[in-house]
Amino acid sequence: MTDEPANSRSARYFEPDDFRSFGHRSRMSQMGYAPEEYRGKPVIAIINTWSDLNQCHAHFRQRAEDVKRGILQAGGFPVELPAISLSESKVKPTTMLYRNFLAMETEELIRSHPVDGAVLMGGCDKTTPGLLLGATSAGVPAIFMPAGPMLRGNWHGKVLGSGSDAFKYWDERRAGNISDKDWSEMEVGIARSYGVCMTMGTASTMTALADTLGMTLPGASSILAADSNHIRMATATGRRIVEMVHERLTPAKIQTEAAFRNVINVAMAMGCSTNAVIHVIAMARRAGHAIGLEDFDAASRRVPVIANVRPSGDRYLMEDFYYAGGLLGLLTRLTPFLDLDQINASGKSWRESLVGAEIYDDDVIRPLDNPIYSEGALALLKGNLAPRGCVMKPSAASPHLLKHSGPALVFDDYPMLKANIDRDDLDVTPDTVLVLRNAGPLGGPGMPEWGMLPIPKKLVKQGVRDMVRISDARMSGTSYGACILHVSPESYVGGPLALVQTGDIVTVDVPSRSISLDVPEEELARRRAALPQAAPRYERGYGWMFSRHIGQADEGCDFDFLRTDFGAPVSEPVIF
């Protein structure tokens, strides 16, 4: 079935013979548009998250023009609508504070304007889930155009991966093994082009998962940002959204529960970012599906990591992944775990979309019987320290730390951590469990990426490069190590992490999926009764609203009032 122009959303604004539509048409004329350019055609919003401070989206000015070209080729009328950009490395205290801001902005941009479909331009970490959350709630046909990974880094003949190698060499610099000259040269060699992190960080994870969900052209997420194929993909995305409008192919028809289960299985096989858990739960629930931590844990026990991409992998980056066959190649290996009857933005099933897909390097995309890690990338732990769960990435941790008991060293907040972690007299050993609290959704605020706590400098100098670290924070998808994250409920609201004291024994057992604080319940009750009331982080503005409506990590950190089950659906705006 195709959409007749007279029944389209844009027609409500431009076609009636009334005073209000006269005003709409006259203002289009004011901008230089002739009636034949837009009347009777699908009007397509291009939601562009470009900014001068977003390095990942530096090419989006041009890509918006490439998308427009495709829309025009297919007989549509493109309109560019800018949205908040959310540069991961620039926005403070954390882009996670503003993911839901972007979601609201996207939803309302689409709903309030005379548009029939939308192209969502994103890629930098929170832009992908933010755009998809908003488009899901808006309900019009939408397609995501991923920014693409940047080129491999290079320094002194060594291949550098963004984030992962920065963390690695920073420890070497702290240990006195990297000179000022080398550090400065590395600074300009590790990020050589526009595009998202070329490790399997949050950006590459989430664009690949958007692809798997079916919200991009099949395989679009793997194309390098600086590759000319990316330009052609952008134009093809523009052409396709016009067809999707005619077909009434909305997110609800693509984002089924089975599609989200495909997403979780692919996430495990890719060695995904821990951030995927929060975002996918929020996206699935916004689409009306009760996906939770248990679904990730079940998948983690079945699906091995086969993408040999850092930080879970030992060698390769997203550029290598693309050349080896990219996401489509990976999906051909995962067919035993996937429902291939689910459709994607092409309008075809994944069974049809994978015809002809190949793998060109079996070391980059491993066979199922030769994985990087025999279980999935993530493990979900529960116990008296995290009654509602916490997340770990065992595929990127030192194996000897997957079963560990040690005394806690507690930091009440990040400034306390920064002030003390490099002290030569810090009472710490390799067996110590570092604990950071008050870094969750409310406590951070916004759940910053502080979860890869630095190894104490005195241990770094001794050659220690990993130890157990626990927090209610997140960590960068490019991070690695035995970091236990997203402890829920968070300490700021009185979760058990708030009760830990330095010297308490903490036990982690990843194979049994448990985490415990070895303190008698009577003592924990005494400490709980003595907890002070947390001071509010904000008393006005967006932060005030965030603080009153944000969910915990295990709920996806969505706003309660944005959930699908909150109130009646929003109707089309009345035009007077």
Side-chain angles (χ1 to χ4, degrees):
M1 182 182 292
T2 59
D3 198 9
E4 297 299 327
N7 297 326
S8 67
R9 296 181 80 249
S10 59
R12 297 173 60 241
Y13 287 76
F14 298 125
E15 296 307 319
D17 184 14
D18 59 18
F19 180 75
R20 180 50 55 209
S21 294
F22 165 85
H24 296 153
R25 293 190 297 268
S26 70
R27 295 308 185 184
M28 295 294 283
S29 297
Q30 181 182 3
M31 293 184 286
Y33 297 121
E36 57 268 25
E37 291 186 72
Y38 64 90
R39 291 186 68 178
K41 296 180 179 181
V43 177
I44 307 299
I46 302 171
I47 311 293
N48 190 354
T49 53
W50 172 88
S51 87
D52 267 328
L53 283 177
N54 194 328
Q55 62 292 325
C56 302
H57 299 176
H59 53 318
F60 271 13
R61 268 185 167 173
Q62 181 56 50
R63 288 297 176 275
E65 298 304 313
D66 300 327
V67 172
K68 287 178 185 177
R69 187 168 74 249
I71 293 169
L72 291 168
Q73 289 169 357
F77 181 72
V79 293
E80 189 175 348
L81 303 177
I84 190 171
S85 191
L86 300 187
S87 168
E88 192 65 26
S89 64
K90 309 288 198 317
V91 172
K92 306 300 178 187
T94 168
T95 54
M96 189 62 185
L97 188 68
Y98 300 103
R99 184 200 71 182
N100 295 343
F101 188 109
L102 174 59
M104 289 192 296
E105 185 176 21
T106 301
E107 178 179 350
E108 300 306 328
L109 280 172
I110 293 171
R111 179 172 289 118
S112 64
H113 284 93
V115 299
D116 304 304
V119 175
L120 314 169
M121 294 180 59
C124 194
D125 294 16
K126 309 309 176 296
T127 60
T128 299
L131 289 163
L132 290 173
L133 286 165
T136 297
S137 294
V140 305
I143 188 170
F144 184 76
M145 196 223 76
M150 70 171 95
L151 298 175
R152 287 184 292 241
N154 185 279
W155 171 70
H156 290 190
K158 295 181 175 68
V159 174
L160 296 181
S162 50
S164 299
D165 279 325
F167 296 128
K168 170 185 171 181
Y169 286 109
W170 175 243
D171 277 347
E172 297 305 317
R173 181 165 166 78
R174 293 170 71 214
N177 300 328
I178 296 284
S179 69
D180 289 348
K181 177 177 179 293
D182 284 346
W183 189 246
S184 296
E185 290 172 352
M186 193 181 300
E187 187 174 298
V188 297
I190 199 167
R192 299 189 300 115
S193 77
Y194 45 76
V196 304
C197 290
M198 73 312 236
T199 43
M200 188 60 77
T202 303
S204 288
T205 291
M206 291 310 302
T207 55
L209 296 186
D211 199 335
T212 303
L213 183 60
M215 292 301 293
T216 76
L217 291 177
S221 62
S222 302
I223 303 172
L224 300 176
D227 193 305
S228 61
N229 284 304
H230 198 271
I231 299 172
R232 287 185 282 276
M233 178 272 292
T235 302
T237 297
R239 290 193 295 269
R240 179 58 194 152
I241 187 58
V242 176
E243 297 169 349
M244 291 173 70
V245 169
H246 288 307
E247 295 164 8
R248 300 181 185 177
L249 184 53
T250 61
K253 296 177 181 178
I254 295 172
Q255 297 184 99
T256 65
E257 182 173 333
F260 277 102
R261 297 198 182 281
N262 284 347
V263 163
I264 294 171
N265 289 334
V266 171
M268 293 302 164
M270 290 192 308
C272 67
S273 163
T274 50
N275 289 309
V277 178
I278 291 176
H279 299 318
V280 172
I281 288 175
M283 289 160 53
R285 293 186 179 189
R286 193 73 78 90
H289 310 301
I291 296 293
L293 291 179
E294 294 75 15
D295 298 291
F296 284 86
D297 193 54
S300 74
R301 296 176 183 274
R302 298 191 321 269
V303 185
V305 178
I306 62 171
N308 189 5
V309 179
R310 288 189 261 171
S312 289
D314 58 4
R315 181 175 179 183
Y316 300 108
L317 298 170
M318 291 303 295
E319 187 171 346
D320 307 292
F321 182 71
Y322 175 47
Y323 300 148
L327 180 71
L328 297 185
L330 180 83
L331 294 183
T332 65
R333 285 265 155 91
L334 294 176
T335 54
F337 303 102
L338 302 177
D339 182 343
L340 298 178
D341 293 326
Q342 300 306 304
I343 64 169
N344 54 52
S346 72
K348 299 177 181 178
S349 71
W350 276 112
R351 194 179 309 282
E352 298 170 280
S353 298
L354 293 180
V355 172
E358 296 185 50
I359 293 172
Y360 306 105
D361 191 325
D362 281 335
D363 193 40
V364 180
I365 304 174
R366 297 282 189 89
L368 291 174
D369 60 0
N370 183 31
I372 291 295
Y373 189 74
S374 59
E375 294 189 7
L378 305 181
L380 290 304
L381 314 181
K382 284 190 175 181
N384 69 342
L385 192 54
R388 287 165 54 180
C390 56
V391 179
M392 186 183 185
K393 189 173 183 177
S395 62
S398 298
H400 74 281
L401 295 172
L402 300 183
K403 293 183 73 170
H404 180 81
S405 288
L409 176 57
V410 179
F411 300 97
D412 285 328
D413 52 36
Y414 200 70
M416 180 181 178
L417 170 75
K418 292 285 285 184
N420 290 279
I421 201 70
D422 287 341
R423 282 174 39 199
D424 290 333
D425 62 347
L426 192 66
D427 186 9
V428 64
T429 74
D431 289 331
T432 299
V433 175
L434 302 181
V435 175
L436 172 66
R437 56 187 172 213
N438 293 311
L442 284 162
M447 208 176 177
E449 291 185 341
W450 294 338
M452 186 182 170
L453 280 61
I455 304 297
K457 191 172 183 177
K458 66 183 288 185
L459 297 182
V460 170
K461 290 180 177 179
Q462 296 171 22
V464 176
R465 293 296 182 268
D466 199 6
M467 57 194 302
V468 175
R469 289 156 277 180
I470 301 174
S471 73
D472 44 16
R474 297 178 300 111
M475 76 177 182
S476 166
T478 65
S479 298
Y480 52 87
C483 302
I484 297 169
L485 313 154
H486 310 179
V487 171
S488 183
E490 63 176 307
S491 56
Y492 185 82
V493 298
L497 200 66
L499 309 179
V500 185
Q501 294 183 0
T502 293
D504 290 345
I505 299 299
V506 175
T507 298
V508 176
D509 189 335
V510 175
S512 68
R513 300 298 198 261
S514 66
I515 181 169
S516 61
L517 178 61
D518 300 338
V519 174
E521 183 55 42
E522 311 84 70
E523 172 61 15
L524 293 179
R526 187 191 64 78
R527 295 180 188 180
R528 188 176 290 109
L531 280 178
Q533 182 71 33
R537 295 295 194 220
Y538 295 98
E539 295 189 14
R540 63 167 300 280
Y542 173 75
W544 180 88
M545 182 182 76
F546 179 97
S547 300
R548 279 153 179 77
H549 297 285
I550 192 67
Q552 288 290 294
D554 62 302
E555 302 169 313
C557 293
D558 204 358
F559 287 158
D560 55 8
F561 62 84
L562 294 179
R563 293 192 319 235
T564 303
D565 59 357
F566 188 94
V570 181
S571 59
E572 288 288 320
V574 179
I575 300 173
F576 292 119

